[in-house]
């Protein structure tokens, strides 16, 4: 009923983020901005060719912690939790752990 909820992504080219969930263009803008921060480049040394995905994942992070009250996660009016895929599509797993408190 009361506590915190941890949402964790155990992958190095995806992330979990919390952002606006009302206007879809915010998601598009987030992708555009991250693309400018971690663009495709020919001089990356990682052999798999997905270095921008690793960088974007590091920028956003692998987890989010949100409060739980009365059995529900507490988010702001416009907020939503997202699994953000940077190297896919791929099958992904998300770990959710609720800690009562």
């Amino acid at each position: 009923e009361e506590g915190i909820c941890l949402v964790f992504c155990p992958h190095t080219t995806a992330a979990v983020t919390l952002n606006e969930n009302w206007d879809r263009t915010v998601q598009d803008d987030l992708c555009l901005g991250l693309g400018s921060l971690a663009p495709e480049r020919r001089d990356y040394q990682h052999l798999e060719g997905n270095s921008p995905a690793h960088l974007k994942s590091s920028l956003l992070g692998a987890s989010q912690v949100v409060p739980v009250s009365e059995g529900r996660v507490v988010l702001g009016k416009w907020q939503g939790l997202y699994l953000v895929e940077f190297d896919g599509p791929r099958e992904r797993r998300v770990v959710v752990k609720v800690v009562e408190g």
Side-chain angles (χ1 to χ4, degrees), residues 9 12 29-30 32 35 43 50 56 61 63-65 75 77 81-82 86-87 91 93 96 98 101:
C9 174
T12 60
D29 291 345
L30 181 63
L32 183 65
D43 56 342
N50 59 356
K56 292 171 188 175
S63 64
Q64 292 289 321
V65 176
L75 298 174
K77 183 176 182 177
L81 281 166
Y82 292 98
F86 297 119
D87 192 30
E91 185 172 312
R93 193 168 60 94
V96 177
V98 178

Side-chain angles (χ1 to χ4, degrees), residues 61-96:
S63 64
Q64 292 289 321
V65 176
V66 294
V68 175
S69 182
E70 298 179 1
R72 299 178 59 91
V73 293
V74 178
L75 298 174
K77 183 176 182 177
W78 309 112
Q79 288 180 319
L81 281 166
Y82 292 98
L83 171 67
V84 188
E85 172 60 66
F86 297 119
D87 192 30
R90 292 176 177 231
E91 185 172 312
R92 299 294 189 172
R93 193 168 60 94
V94 176
V95 178
V96 177

Side-chain angles (χ1 to χ4, degrees), residues 19-38:
N19 213 305
E20 183 172 320
N21 193 34
W22 185 79
D23 182 349
R24 170 77 167 106
T25 62
V26 171
Q27 295 171 37
D28 297 335
D29 291 345
L30 181 63
C31 291
L32 183 65
L34 287 170
S36 70
L37 292 173

Side-chain angles (χ1 to χ4, degrees), residues 37-53:
L37 292 173
E40 294 288 336
R41 296 172 50 139
R42 295 179 187 260
D43 56 342
Y44 286 129
Q45 296 180 29
H46 182 50
L47 296 177
E48 288 182 36
N50 59 356
S51 288

